[in-house]
Amino acid sequence: MNLQRAATDIPLQITSENASAERRITPSWTIAHLKTKLEPVTGIPPSAQQLSLKLPDQKDIAIEAEDEESLQVVRFPLQAYAEIYVTDSRPPSSRLHIPSASTVPKYTMPTSEYANRTDSVLAWKKTHQLGRFDPHGADAARARLEKGERETRERG
């Protein structure tokens, strides 16, 4: 990692309708390069991104230019931990609709079925007598507790 370059990077909060993440932005990037870097974060293609910089106690600043291939983002008043909001300019019908994970039905294996499996962590713990399956586990835990109490008494 180039430490000199990392020292000039600015941490920014990137948000969109479906995503939020902190990313380090290099001020020498062009707007076009920034949009390319934001696509994996937001899922919005660069050509459909509208960027706006949100600074505390200021109006939102549009990050745009006629020539986005040459204008560097250093021209905008970037501040550490400010927010860049990415808006998707595509019509709603052409956007990828990703449902919330909470609305997707999940499979839950019954406990009895899991207990009967031979290819599970539970079966491995039973085979190797680990955790609650260790026949000497309670004794070892009691010994550790007594040792800790003894050390505490000795220290006062």
Side-chain angles (χ1 to χ4, degrees):
M1 178 179 171
N2 185 345
L3 294 177
Q4 192 173 23
R5 181 178 153 206
T8 61
D9 289 352
I10 300 172
L12 294 171
Q13 187 68 28
I14 309 300
T15 55
S16 69
E17 184 179 340
N18 296 317
S20 180
E22 182 181 311
R23 292 291 184 264
R24 298 183 85 61
I25 305 300
T26 303
S28 61
W29 288 351
T30 63
I31 295 173
H33 185 74
L34 172 62
K35 286 183 173 185
T36 302
K37 293 283 190 176
L38 295 180
E39 183 177 12
V41 176
T42 63
I44 304 170
S47 60
Q49 292 178 14
Q50 292 179 337
L51 307 180
S52 85
L53 178 63
K54 296 176 180 277
L55 299 169
D57 303 324
Q58 292 184 24
K59 283 184 158 183
D60 294 355
I61 301 166
I63 299 178
E64 60 187 3
E66 277 197 31
D67 184 13
E68 293 185 346
E69 294 291 335
S70 63
L71 186 69
Q72 296 179 330
V73 294
V74 73
R75 302 272 180 142
F76 297 92
L78 301 177
Q79 294 177 6
Y81 304 105
E83 177 185 358
I84 292 181
Y85 190 82
V86 185
T87 305
D88 193 342
S89 64
R90 296 175 293 177
S93 60
S94 65
R95 296 179 193 167
L96 179 64
H97 177 67
I98 302 171
S100 169
S102 63
T103 63
V104 177
K106 311 284 186 295
Y107 171 74
T108 305
M109 183 182 291
T111 307
S112 59
E113 185 179 334
Y114 182 72
N116 292 331
R117 295 186 67 96
T118 59
D119 61 345
S120 66
V121 173
L122 183 66
W124 184 81
K125 283 182 165 185
K126 284 179 182 178
T127 302
H128 292 88
Q129 296 184 337
L130 296 173
R132 64 183 173 172
F133 305 108
D134 183 355
H136 307 292
D139 297 335
R142 194 175 307 109
R144 282 192 304 273
L145 182 62
E146 289 172 0
K147 179 183 176 188
E149 288 174 351
R150 198 171 40 252
E151 288 176 356
T152 303
R153 278 194 305 271
E154 290 171 2
R155 292 182 192 162

